Amino acid sequence: MPDRFPGYDVLSKRWTPSWNQKTREVINRRLALTNEPRYLTAEEFALVTVIAARIVPQPGHRPPVPVAALIDHQLDRDQGDGYRHAGMPPLQEAWRQGLRALNAEAQAAHEAPFDQLRTADQDALLTQMQEGKLKDAAWGGMSSATFFKQRLAHDIVHAYYAHPTAWNEIGWGGPASPRGYVRMDANERDPWEAAEVKDGDVEAARRKNRHVG
Amino acid sequence: MSDDPLLSPRAKAGRAPDVFAPGGWIPMHAYREDEAVDFVIVGTGAGGGTLACKLAEAGFSVVAMDAGPYFRPLEDFASDESEQTKLYWTDDRIVDGENPLQMGSNNSGKAVGGSTVHFAMVSLRFRPEWFRSRTLLGYGADWPLDWREMWRYYAKVEQALKIAGPVTYPWGPPRPRYPYRAHEMNAAALALARGCEAMGIGWTETPLATLSAPRGRAHPCVYRGFCTTGCSTNAKQSALVTWIPRAIAAGAEIRDLAMVGRVEVNDAGRATGVHYHREGGWRFQKARNVVVAGYAIETPRLLLNSATSRFPDGLANSSGLVGKNLMAQSNQAVWGISKDEIRSYKGPPSLAITEHWNYDDNKDFFGGYSYMSQGPLPQLWANTQMSARGLWGDSLMAEMERYNHVVGLKIVGEMLPQESNRVTLADAKDQYGLPIARITYSWSENDRALIDHSLRFMARALEAIDAREIWTQDDDTCHLNGTARMGGDPRTSVVDADCRSWDIRNLWICDGSVFPTVGGVNPSLTIQAIACRTGDRIKALAALGDL
Amino acid sequence: MRTAIDKTMQNQLVAIAAQLDVLEKGLSQHFPRREPTVRAARRLNGASGILSMSVLADSGIEHYRGSFENKAMFTPLVMSALSLAVSAHGTADSRPDAHRIRDAVYAAAALTGVVGTGFHVYNVLKRPGRLSWQNLFYGAPLGAPMAILLSGLLGVYSERLRDDRGASPTVFGLPAGRTLAALTGAGLLGTAGEAGLLHFRGAYHNPFMYAPVTIPPVAAGLLGAAAAGFSGRTRWLTRWWLRLTALLGFAGAGFHAYGVSRNMGGWRNWRQTVLNGPPLPAPPSFTGLALAGLAALGLLEDHTDA
């Protein structure tokens, strides 16, 4: 996919009034996360990495988002959402059980663990999970559809869009305090916002994005 | 000692955080646990925070407890969705029913100031007829309150929060001018306005509890758009920066990170205080009156968890209605893509509103709805695409790239009270060893009819402004009310018009739980109006020697 | 803190008052041999210049906020800059004749004000809600282009005054002093109206916000009385009230600077707060108009039948 916001980097605003101290601390901590599991086992961590690549496939030209590390961090802190559907175990247990069940399904269907399947087969299994069609005993009392929507894809999507790389891709203004925004009407852009490619003029957008700060 | 407000309490030893100054403190009265205070209040949100202020200003001794931390927004709030989940009630709860509620974020707060710390600031009045919906409109239940009295209290709350609203409000009986002027509308709000004009219905700027001009030490809104993840500038007039500083100045004590697990009741059937967990252990605060203000889940949970041999079904529950008639509000949306850059992340999410379908009775269902412009932040938006639309993989990534062009309309719709929608206790326990809440919810036929009507209408409004690829998000709900309804008859209600429980006369409930119906508007202004009225009533009852 | 600010502001006001006095006396003493009419004309050039300066800064900031989306948005900047330049020239020029370039620039500036008002009205009317409070508050400000119109008119007026050779100065056949007093009075009222609208938007959260909606209208009333020929005995009051109004323009800029600092992030966040806070260059419009009013008063004093 061609870059819609060429050269835009939300991190270029890190030392401007758009970021307060608390935000810098929080984002710095997030960016400093290493790609090593703390809660998950190495195998589970690798599996999450493979699944995340299907749920949120990353374009190659931006710094990668360490989705598995972010999930692992969430699990390590046991940071739940404040609710779970009847039949769903708590956060950590749900992830462990769901990953086990997915591998069991992969074995049953293709006689190989999930991360060794062709991507088309991986996608097919994930689609079946989303539709609640996976019923292996390994799921326990958990509905595969609920696991997909409330846990697996939910947590992966949240992890991905917690990262500045993802913010750059979608042209979001990012952190904004104390400086917020001035120009509110349609097609109005503050000089510290992302510029989108218009009428195919990539260079014009890139020029504007270089001055974001 | 840690300065992390999530780990150790800040409000203690005669001082509380100054929310207007990084690292600042204000003096605070400290009450002894073994001497009964006039009122102990459980919860410091729209209900409890407001009532703490009114009671303290009336001269009562007040201790108000909150399970959550005491933040200083200027130093503690990041511009970040993930980080700010620290404002939410994320303790475990179980949801079931045909339409399980989504909890934890938009409808639950755990902080001093409660959900008002992350609410969308939409400050609307009930339509007068809703206070007698059973008699006048044929559904729900009548309130034991007169709308004219409530409108007087609305005006007081609007003044106390310096609500920024339109110069004239298009619906309902005349109301006084809002204290501050409306905010500038963003592109998303202008899209709503254009859609309404195309459909031939009225619209206006949403009355919001965020400043459009300076006030005291609070700055006007900078349109940063993180309202529902906490306002780091104090423009938002939450209980944390309005009622609570006033309450402390008037002599109230706030205790943060204080989880109340049980209301103690003596043999005479009177409440004597609360057991609460703070700094690693269980403690007891004696009180002459107990006010439960934990919102529609934690309030019934506490009453049920406080059961004794004398009250085996929980406190204040002789009617059997504690926990029943839980009402969310429908929060469905219609989304589309505009050829224009909308960038709805700028400014408060709901800058424009139409209440047309709250005031027009020409429809085939009971109740009403308002709809507002929207401004979802990236995580919320991506998850909406995944969960409501089923997108993931390349289709999700492609859709997210058009984030800046998204335009949407979202309702706050009335759901009817049903006894089968309820809060009960589950077997699982939380970190304090207390049984957690099980929340059962299913939509009624009327709820579905209202939602269908709204989605059809809003889709046409979006089409009328040339939005493309319109789709509907039909799974969302917001706000929680009911579960301890007020009424005029002890057999069919939990509390009377003064929020005083029928069964235990020194036990009060003051939050959204007392709503017999929810209407088609956000509830926070009504909760605060009820709290102000309750404060005045308690003062009057005390003068009569009737406490 | 608050009282310290008030104190500083008070001292500044006194200092500015003293400077205004010097300026006024300087202008009249520097060319004592010249005709009083030319003196009045030059004071009008000065008044027009101050208005132009206010327009230059205000339209610069506001149209920058509007990202100069329409190239026509540069026009008021160019015109007010030119108007400022010819006003400086005019203020220093004691020749009793009109200057063609000055004249042309002033006329074009006035025309810019008329056209600009048209643009602003169009902008407001195309927004949903049309002439609603929302659009009056946040759409293109309808009253703003009037400032450059007034600046142009005062300039044109100044040039006509220089052209005048009669015993009692007239402009377009009307008695110069009275007409100018009426024009200035109307300008003050309009500008007070604009301030009133925007201060209403700010909910008059600071009591000083009532100053620009009370002091200038009184000045306008006194000028109106002078225009009608009623004011012989109260002329000292009119003079002092106009000086007070002139001071208000400077003080207002100071208050607005304080207002900017009251926004989140203060001056450190100037790229937002200068745009979203109260407009710094707007209040000096009052100074420009008050100086024009003083010129009118001067004309009336020198020629009782003017």
Side-chain angles (χ1 to χ4, degrees), chain B residues 167 177 179-185 194 197 205 213-214 216 219-220 222 233, chain C residues 65 128-130 133-134 137-138 200-203 205 262-264 272 276:
Chain B
V167 175
R177 176 174 297 159
Y180 276 20
R181 301 292 81 75
H183 291 273
E184 180 176 3
M185 283 160 59
R194 289 199 176 90
E197 291 189 352
E205 301 105 326
H219 305 288
V222 295
T233 72
Chain C
R65 174 199 181 106
R130 259 56 63 182
W133 287 106
Q134 166 76 206
F137 290 154
Y138 302 111
F200 177 52
R201 181 178 92 182
H205 68 270
R262 287 281 281 108
N263 279 265
M264 186 68 193
Q272 167 158 40
N276 273 2

mmCIF file of all heavy atoms in Angstrom, chain B residues 167 177 179-185 194 197 205 213-214 216 219-220 222 233, chain C residues 65 128-130 133-134 137-138 200-203 205 262-264 272 276:
data_model
loop_
_atom_site.group_PDB
_atom_site.id
_atom_site.type_symbol
_atom_site.label_atom_id
_atom_site.label_comp_id
_atom_site.label_asym_id
_atom_site.label_seq_id
_atom_site.Cartn_x
_atom_site.Cartn_y
_atom_site.Cartn_z
ATOM 1 N N VAL B 167 -27.059 29.437 23.071
ATOM 2 C CA VAL B 167 -27.725 30.606 23.668
ATOM 3 C C VAL B 167 -29.204 30.313 23.890
ATOM 4 O O VAL B 167 -29.769 30.668 24.924
ATOM 5 C CB VAL B 167 -27.528 31.843 22.761
ATOM 6 C CG1 VAL B 167 -28.310 33.029 23.303
ATOM 7 C CG2 VAL B 167 -26.038 32.188 22.680
ATOM 8 N N ARG B 177 -30.351 30.791 30.335
ATOM 9 C CA ARG B 177 -29.186 30.705 29.446
ATOM 10 C C ARG B 177 -28.069 29.931 30.135
ATOM 11 O O ARG B 177 -27.846 30.063 31.329
ATOM 12 C CB ARG B 177 -28.715 32.122 29.115
ATOM 13 C CG ARG B 177 -27.462 32.149 28.270
ATOM 14 C CD ARG B 177 -27.118 33.566 27.855
ATOM 15 N NE ARG B 177 -28.180 34.126 27.026
ATOM 16 C CZ ARG B 177 -28.363 35.428 26.847
ATOM 17 N NH1 ARG B 177 -27.578 36.300 27.425
ATOM 18 N NH2 ARG B 177 -29.341 35.850 26.076
ATOM 19 N N PRO B 179 -24.480 29.068 31.462
ATOM 20 C CA PRO B 179 -23.526 30.055 32.002
ATOM 21 C C PRO B 179 -22.404 30.401 31.026
ATOM 22 O O PRO B 179 -21.975 31.547 30.990
ATOM 23 C CB PRO B 179 -22.968 29.388 33.257
ATOM 24 C CG PRO B 179 -23.687 28.120 33.451
ATOM 25 C CD PRO B 179 -24.638 27.897 32.331
ATOM 26 N N TYR B 180 -21.911 29.428 30.265
ATOM 27 C CA TYR B 180 -20.859 29.720 29.283
ATOM 28 C C TYR B 180 -21.393 29.437 27.884
ATOM 29 O O TYR B 180 -22.324 28.649 27.705
ATOM 30 C CB TYR B 180 -19.608 28.872 29.564
ATOM 31 C CG TYR B 180 -18.674 29.467 30.611
ATOM 32 C CD1 TYR B 180 -19.112 30.426 31.520
ATOM 33 C CD2 TYR B 180 -17.348 29.062 30.687
ATOM 34 C CE1 TYR B 180 -18.255 30.959 32.478
ATOM 35 C CE2 TYR B 180 -16.476 29.593 31.644
ATOM 36 C CZ TYR B 180 -16.943 30.539 32.539
ATOM 37 O OH TYR B 180 -16.090 31.056 33.477
ATOM 38 N N ARG B 181 -20.764 30.084 26.889
ATOM 39 C CA ARG B 181 -21.215 29.915 25.506
ATOM 40 C C ARG B 181 -20.754 28.563 24.963
ATOM 41 O O ARG B 181 -19.772 27.983 25.425
ATOM 42 C CB ARG B 181 -20.648 31.023 24.616
ATOM 43 C CG ARG B 181 -21.023 32.451 25.021
ATOM 44 C CD ARG B 181 -22.501 32.747 24.839
ATOM 45 N NE ARG B 181 -23.310 32.241 25.944
ATOM 46 C CZ ARG B 181 -23.384 32.796 27.156
ATOM 47 N NH1 ARG B 181 -22.721 33.896 27.426
ATOM 48 N NH2 ARG B 181 -24.143 32.280 28.096
ATOM 49 N N ALA B 182 -21.467 28.133 23.932
ATOM 50 C CA ALA B 182 -21.141 26.854 23.298
ATOM 51 C C ALA B 182 -19.750 26.906 22.671
ATOM 52 O O ALA B 182 -19.245 27.973 22.324
ATOM 53 C CB ALA B 182 -22.173 26.535 22.229
ATOM 54 N N HIS B 183 -19.154 25.724 22.518
ATOM 55 C CA HIS B 183 -17.841 25.623 21.877
ATOM 56 C C HIS B 183 -17.976 25.702 20.362
ATOM 57 O O HIS B 183 -19.051 25.468 19.813
ATOM 58 C CB HIS B 183 -17.192 24.291 22.253
ATOM 59 C CG HIS B 183 -16.795 24.224 23.688
ATOM 60 N ND1 HIS B 183 -15.577 24.674 24.134
ATOM 61 C CD2 HIS B 183 -17.470 23.806 24.785
ATOM 62 C CE1 HIS B 183 -15.516 24.514 25.446
ATOM 63 N NE2 HIS B 183 -16.644 23.989 25.870
ATOM 64 N N GLU B 184 -16.843 25.976 19.725
ATOM 65 C CA GLU B 184 -16.814 25.927 18.272
ATOM 66 C C GLU B 184 -17.056 24.493 17.815
ATOM 67 O O GLU B 184 -16.491 23.550 18.364
ATOM 68 C CB GLU B 184 -15.445 26.402 17.766
ATOM 69 C CG GLU B 184 -15.334 26.369 16.258
ATOM 70 C CD GLU B 184 -14.022 26.926 15.741
ATOM 71 O OE1 GLU B 184 -13.162 27.294 16.566
ATOM 72 O OE2 GLU B 184 -13.874 26.993 14.506
ATOM 73 N N MET B 185 -17.896 24.333 16.813
ATOM 74 C CA MET B 185 -18.191 22.991 16.314
ATOM 75 C C MET B 185 -17.062 22.513 15.406
ATOM 76 O O MET B 185 -16.544 23.279 14.600
ATOM 77 C CB MET B 185 -19.521 22.999 15.559
ATOM 78 C CG MET B 185 -20.719 23.036 16.509
ATOM 79 S SD MET B 185 -22.240 23.608 15.758
ATOM 80 C CE MET B 185 -22.479 22.436 14.456
ATOM 81 N N ARG B 194 -25.493 19.565 9.137
ATOM 82 C CA ARG B 194 -25.923 19.540 7.733
ATOM 83 C C ARG B 194 -26.926 18.412 7.506
ATOM 84 O O ARG B 194 -27.916 18.574 6.791
ATOM 85 C CB ARG B 194 -24.717 19.350 6.809
ATOM 86 C CG ARG B 194 -23.841 20.576 6.757
ATOM 87 C CD ARG B 194 -22.914 20.595 5.531
ATOM 88 N NE ARG B 194 -22.191 21.856 5.519
ATOM 89 C CZ ARG B 194 -21.012 22.049 6.119
ATOM 90 N NH1 ARG B 194 -20.422 21.042 6.729
ATOM 91 N NH2 ARG B 194 -20.441 23.234 6.107
ATOM 92 N N GLU B 197 -30.270 19.427 8.870
ATOM 93 C CA GLU B 197 -30.948 20.418 8.023
ATOM 94 C C GLU B 197 -31.507 19.744 6.777
ATOM 95 O O GLU B 197 -32.607 20.074 6.322
ATOM 96 C CB GLU B 197 -29.980 21.555 7.687
ATOM 97 C CG GLU B 197 -29.668 22.379 8.936
ATOM 98 C CD GLU B 197 -28.887 23.665 8.679
ATOM 99 O OE1 GLU B 197 -28.429 23.877 7.535
ATOM 100 O OE2 GLU B 197 -28.745 24.447 9.642
ATOM 101 N N GLU B 205 -25.803 23.016 19.362
ATOM 102 C CA GLU B 205 -24.533 22.653 19.974
ATOM 103 C C GLU B 205 -24.830 21.888 21.262
ATOM 104 O O GLU B 205 -25.729 22.256 22.013
ATOM 105 C CB GLU B 205 -23.701 23.893 20.328
ATOM 106 C CG GLU B 205 -23.379 24.793 19.144
ATOM 107 C CD GLU B 205 -24.220 26.053 19.147
ATOM 108 O OE1 GLU B 205 -25.399 25.990 19.576
ATOM 109 O OE2 GLU B 205 -23.706 27.093 18.724
ATOM 110 N N ALA B 213 -14.404 29.231 28.470
ATOM 111 C CA ALA B 213 -13.680 30.431 28.907
ATOM 112 C C ALA B 213 -13.028 30.077 30.237
ATOM 113 O O ALA B 213 -13.444 29.111 30.881
ATOM 114 C CB ALA B 213 -14.647 31.605 29.073
ATOM 115 N N PRO B 214 -12.001 30.825 30.643
ATOM 116 C CA PRO B 214 -11.345 30.456 31.909
ATOM 117 C C PRO B 214 -12.316 30.492 33.090
ATOM 118 O O PRO B 214 -13.320 31.198 33.060
ATOM 119 C CB PRO B 214 -10.265 31.533 32.078
ATOM 120 C CG PRO B 214 -10.060 32.113 30.731
ATOM 121 C CD PRO B 214 -11.373 31.997 30.022
ATOM 122 N N GLY B 216 -11.669 30.379 37.371
ATOM 123 C CA GLY B 216 -10.780 30.153 38.501
ATOM 124 C C GLY B 216 -9.415 29.709 38.011
ATOM 125 O O GLY B 216 -8.809 30.333 37.158
ATOM 126 N N HIS B 219 -8.368 26.025 33.019
ATOM 127 C CA HIS B 219 -8.190 26.605 31.696
ATOM 128 C C HIS B 219 -9.366 26.244 30.797
ATOM 129 O O HIS B 219 -9.988 25.212 30.989
ATOM 130 C CB HIS B 219 -6.928 26.044 31.053
ATOM 131 C CG HIS B 219 -5.701 26.217 31.868
ATOM 132 N ND1 HIS B 219 -5.097 27.443 32.032
ATOM 133 C CD2 HIS B 219 -4.963 25.339 32.569
ATOM 134 C CE1 HIS B 219 -4.033 27.289 32.793
ATOM 135 N NE2 HIS B 219 -3.927 26.035 33.147
ATOM 136 N N PRO B 220 -9.622 27.054 29.789
ATOM 137 C CA PRO B 220 -10.631 26.629 28.807
ATOM 138 C C PRO B 220 -10.136 25.439 27.978
ATOM 139 O O PRO B 220 -8.937 25.183 27.898
ATOM 140 C CB PRO B 220 -10.837 27.861 27.928
ATOM 141 C CG PRO B 220 -9.683 28.759 28.181
ATOM 142 C CD PRO B 220 -9.111 28.406 29.515
ATOM 143 N N VAL B 222 -8.865 22.956 25.207
ATOM 144 C CA VAL B 222 -7.926 23.129 24.085
ATOM 145 C C VAL B 222 -8.260 22.200 22.916
ATOM 146 O O VAL B 222 -7.502 22.103 21.972
ATOM 147 C CB VAL B 222 -6.461 22.905 24.508
ATOM 148 C CG1 VAL B 222 -6.019 23.945 25.495
ATOM 149 C CG2 VAL B 222 -6.250 21.505 25.072
ATOM 150 N N THR B 233 -6.232 18.921 31.299
ATOM 151 C CA THR B 233 -6.102 20.385 31.411
ATOM 152 C C THR B 233 -7.056 20.968 32.451
ATOM 153 O O THR B 233 -7.010 22.158 32.714
ATOM 154 C CB THR B 233 -6.402 21.068 30.068
ATOM 155 O OG1 THR B 233 -7.802 20.997 29.815
ATOM 156 C CG2 THR B 233 -5.652 20.411 28.927
ATOM 157 N N ARG C 65 -4.594 31.547 10.781
ATOM 158 C CA ARG C 65 -5.409 30.499 11.382
ATOM 159 C C ARG C 65 -6.256 29.820 10.305
ATOM 160 O O ARG C 65 -6.450 28.610 10.313
ATOM 161 C CB ARG C 65 -6.306 31.128 12.446
ATOM 162 C CG ARG C 65 -7.303 30.198 13.068
ATOM 163 C CD ARG C 65 -8.418 31.030 13.724
ATOM 164 N NE ARG C 65 -9.393 30.185 14.367
ATOM 165 C CZ ARG C 65 -9.497 30.028 15.671
ATOM 166 N NH1 ARG C 65 -8.705 30.684 16.473
ATOM 167 N NH2 ARG C 65 -10.396 29.232 16.180
ATOM 168 N N PRO C 128 -23.882 25.644 8.229
ATOM 169 C CA PRO C 128 -25.195 25.296 8.765
ATOM 170 C C PRO C 128 -25.527 26.207 9.949
ATOM 171 O O PRO C 128 -24.655 26.510 10.748
ATOM 172 C CB PRO C 128 -25.035 23.837 9.203
ATOM 173 C CG PRO C 128 -23.590 23.538 9.169
ATOM 174 C CD PRO C 128 -22.928 24.534 8.277
ATOM 175 N N GLY C 129 -26.782 26.616 9.998
ATOM 176 C CA GLY C 129 -27.175 27.523 11.068
ATOM 177 C C GLY C 129 -27.202 28.979 10.615
ATOM 178 O O GLY C 129 -27.719 29.844 11.315
ATOM 179 N N ARG C 130 -26.592 29.228 9.420
ATOM 180 C CA ARG C 130 -26.604 30.587 8.869
ATOM 181 C C ARG C 130 -26.240 31.646 9.920
ATOM 182 O O ARG C 130 -25.251 31.533 10.584
ATOM 183 C CB ARG C 130 -27.975 30.897 8.219
ATOM 184 C CG ARG C 130 -28.006 30.797 6.701
ATOM 185 C CD ARG C 130 -27.574 29.473 6.152
ATOM 186 N NE ARG C 130 -28.422 28.370 6.543
ATOM 187 C CZ ARG C 130 -28.203 27.106 6.209
ATOM 188 N NH1 ARG C 130 -27.149 26.780 5.480
ATOM 189 N NH2 ARG C 130 -29.011 26.161 6.600
ATOM 190 N N TRP C 133 -25.732 32.163 16.459
ATOM 191 C CA TRP C 133 -24.677 32.603 17.382
ATOM 192 C C TRP C 133 -23.383 31.846 17.108
ATOM 193 O O TRP C 133 -22.292 32.405 17.139
ATOM 194 C CB TRP C 133 -25.115 32.374 18.830
ATOM 195 C CG TRP C 133 -26.161 33.329 19.311
ATOM 196 C CD1 TRP C 133 -27.481 33.062 19.503
ATOM 197 C CD2 TRP C 133 -25.973 34.713 19.646
ATOM 198 N NE1 TRP C 133 -28.130 34.192 19.941
ATOM 199 C CE2 TRP C 133 -27.227 35.217 20.041
ATOM 200 C CE3 TRP C 133 -24.873 35.573 19.643
ATOM 201 C CZ2 TRP C 133 -27.414 36.541 20.437
ATOM 202 C CZ3 TRP C 133 -25.051 36.892 20.047
ATOM 203 C CH2 TRP C 133 -26.311 37.356 20.433
ATOM 204 N N GLN C 134 -23.501 30.530 16.866
ATOM 205 C CA GLN C 134 -22.322 29.707 16.598
ATOM 206 C C GLN C 134 -21.485 30.329 15.475
ATOM 207 O O GLN C 134 -20.272 30.457 15.583
ATOM 208 C CB GLN C 134 -22.780 28.288 16.199
ATOM 209 C CG GLN C 134 -21.720 27.418 15.568
ATOM 210 C CD GLN C 134 -20.687 26.839 16.538
ATOM 211 O OE1 GLN C 134 -19.570 26.542 16.156
ATOM 212 N NE2 GLN C 134 -21.066 26.692 17.798
ATOM 213 N N PHE C 137 -20.002 33.722 16.348
ATOM 214 C CA PHE C 137 -18.852 33.560 17.249
ATOM 215 C C PHE C 137 -17.638 33.017 16.513
ATOM 216 O O PHE C 137 -16.516 33.457 16.717
ATOM 217 C CB PHE C 137 -19.176 32.569 18.375
ATOM 218 C CG PHE C 137 -20.170 33.059 19.387
ATOM 219 C CD1 PHE C 137 -20.944 32.144 20.105
ATOM 220 C CD2 PHE C 137 -20.337 34.410 19.646
ATOM 221 C CE1 PHE C 137 -21.854 32.573 21.054
ATOM 222 C CE2 PHE C 137 -21.248 34.848 20.593
ATOM 223 C CZ PHE C 137 -22.013 33.922 21.296
ATOM 224 N N TYR C 138 -17.874 31.963 15.704
ATOM 225 C CA TYR C 138 -16.741 31.177 15.213
ATOM 226 C C TYR C 138 -16.564 31.195 13.699
ATOM 227 O O TYR C 138 -15.569 30.703 13.192
ATOM 228 C CB TYR C 138 -16.876 29.720 15.681
ATOM 229 C CG TYR C 138 -16.948 29.590 17.187
ATOM 230 C CD1 TYR C 138 -18.122 29.194 17.818
ATOM 231 C CD2 TYR C 138 -15.840 29.889 17.975
ATOM 232 C CE1 TYR C 138 -18.191 29.075 19.204
ATOM 233 C CE2 TYR C 138 -15.902 29.770 19.351
ATOM 234 C CZ TYR C 138 -17.083 29.352 19.967
ATOM 235 O OH TYR C 138 -17.142 29.246 21.321
ATOM 236 N N PHE C 200 -19.179 38.386 24.868
ATOM 237 C CA PHE C 200 -20.333 37.531 25.191
ATOM 238 C C PHE C 200 -19.933 36.076 24.976
ATOM 239 O O PHE C 200 -20.248 35.196 25.777
ATOM 240 C CB PHE C 200 -21.507 37.918 24.291
ATOM 241 C CG PHE C 200 -22.743 37.078 24.472
ATOM 242 C CD1 PHE C 200 -23.297 36.867 25.727
ATOM 243 C CD2 PHE C 200 -23.376 36.500 23.378
ATOM 244 C CE1 PHE C 200 -24.440 36.095 25.892
ATOM 245 C CE2 PHE C 200 -24.513 35.730 23.530
ATOM 246 C CZ PHE C 200 -25.050 35.527 24.781
ATOM 247 N N ARG C 201 -19.209 35.817 23.893
ATOM 248 C CA ARG C 201 -18.691 34.472 23.644
ATOM 249 C C ARG C 201 -17.834 34.017 24.825
ATOM 250 O O ARG C 201 -17.855 32.847 25.207
ATOM 251 C CB ARG C 201 -17.862 34.464 22.360
ATOM 252 C CG ARG C 201 -17.297 33.116 22.009
ATOM 253 C CD ARG C 201 -16.522 33.162 20.715
ATOM 254 N NE ARG C 201 -15.115 33.433 20.924
ATOM 255 C CZ ARG C 201 -14.211 33.557 19.946
ATOM 256 N NH1 ARG C 201 -14.594 33.465 18.698
ATOM 257 N NH2 ARG C 201 -12.965 33.803 20.215
ATOM 258 N N GLY C 202 -17.089 34.937 25.417
ATOM 259 C CA GLY C 202 -16.270 34.602 26.585
ATOM 260 C C GLY C 202 -17.055 34.679 27.881
ATOM 261 O O GLY C 202 -16.479 34.599 28.970
ATOM 262 N N ALA C 203 -18.383 34.852 27.782
ATOM 263 C CA ALA C 203 -19.279 34.858 28.945
ATOM 264 C C ALA C 203 -18.890 35.926 29.977
ATOM 265 O O ALA C 203 -19.199 35.784 31.147
ATOM 266 C CB ALA C 203 -19.350 33.476 29.589
ATOM 267 N N HIS C 205 -16.357 36.490 31.565
ATOM 268 C CA HIS C 205 -15.887 35.784 32.763
ATOM 269 C C HIS C 205 -15.002 36.660 33.627
ATOM 270 O O HIS C 205 -14.767 36.356 34.787
ATOM 271 C CB HIS C 205 -15.137 34.510 32.360
ATOM 272 C CG HIS C 205 -13.843 34.763 31.655
ATOM 273 N ND1 HIS C 205 -13.754 34.891 30.291
ATOM 274 C CD2 HIS C 205 -12.597 34.947 32.126
ATOM 275 C CE1 HIS C 205 -12.497 35.129 29.967
ATOM 276 N NE2 HIS C 205 -11.774 35.172 31.056
ATOM 277 N N ARG C 262 -3.674 32.752 30.232
ATOM 278 C CA ARG C 262 -4.635 31.989 31.030
ATOM 279 C C ARG C 262 -5.087 30.710 30.322
ATOM 280 O O ARG C 262 -5.849 29.928 30.855
ATOM 281 C CB ARG C 262 -5.876 32.856 31.326
ATOM 282 C CG ARG C 262 -5.649 33.929 32.332
ATOM 283 C CD ARG C 262 -5.673 33.385 33.744
ATOM 284 N NE ARG C 262 -7.027 33.164 34.218
ATOM 285 C CZ ARG C 262 -7.574 31.976 34.392
ATOM 286 N NH1 ARG C 262 -6.889 30.895 34.115
ATOM 287 N NH2 ARG C 262 -8.804 31.853 34.845
ATOM 288 N N ASN C 263 -4.670 30.537 29.081
ATOM 289 C CA ASN C 263 -5.027 29.323 28.367
ATOM 290 C C ASN C 263 -4.007 28.229 28.659
ATOM 291 O O ASN C 263 -2.869 28.515 29.027
ATOM 292 C CB ASN C 263 -5.122 29.589 26.867
ATOM 293 C CG ASN C 263 -6.456 30.203 26.490
ATOM 294 O OD1 ASN C 263 -7.384 29.508 26.110
ATOM 295 N ND2 ASN C 263 -6.570 31.516 26.627
ATOM 296 N N MET C 264 -4.429 26.973 28.450
ATOM 297 C CA MET C 264 -3.571 25.838 28.789
ATOM 298 C C MET C 264 -2.245 25.931 28.045
ATOM 299 O O MET C 264 -2.210 26.096 26.832
ATOM 300 C CB MET C 264 -4.290 24.538 28.417
ATOM 301 C CG MET C 264 -3.549 23.313 28.862
ATOM 302 S SD MET C 264 -3.521 23.152 30.662
ATOM 303 C CE MET C 264 -2.275 21.878 30.850
ATOM 304 N N GLN C 272 -0.953 27.756 19.740
ATOM 305 C CA GLN C 272 -2.381 27.567 19.952
ATOM 306 C C GLN C 272 -3.009 28.744 20.678
ATOM 307 O O GLN C 272 -4.043 29.253 20.271
ATOM 308 C CB GLN C 272 -2.640 26.289 20.761
ATOM 309 C CG GLN C 272 -4.086 26.215 21.279
ATOM 310 C CD GLN C 272 -4.537 24.823 21.593
ATOM 311 O OE1 GLN C 272 -3.800 24.017 22.122
ATOM 312 N NE2 GLN C 272 -5.773 24.517 21.253
ATOM 313 N N ASN C 276 -6.264 30.817 19.816
ATOM 314 C CA ASN C 276 -7.509 30.509 20.522
ATOM 315 C C ASN C 276 -7.800 31.464 21.675
ATOM 316 O O ASN C 276 -8.928 31.546 22.139
ATOM 317 C CB ASN C 276 -7.473 29.073 21.059
ATOM 318 C CG ASN C 276 -7.946 28.071 20.027
ATOM 319 O OD1 ASN C 276 -8.261 28.457 18.902
ATOM 320 N ND2 ASN C 276 -7.985 26.813 20.392
#
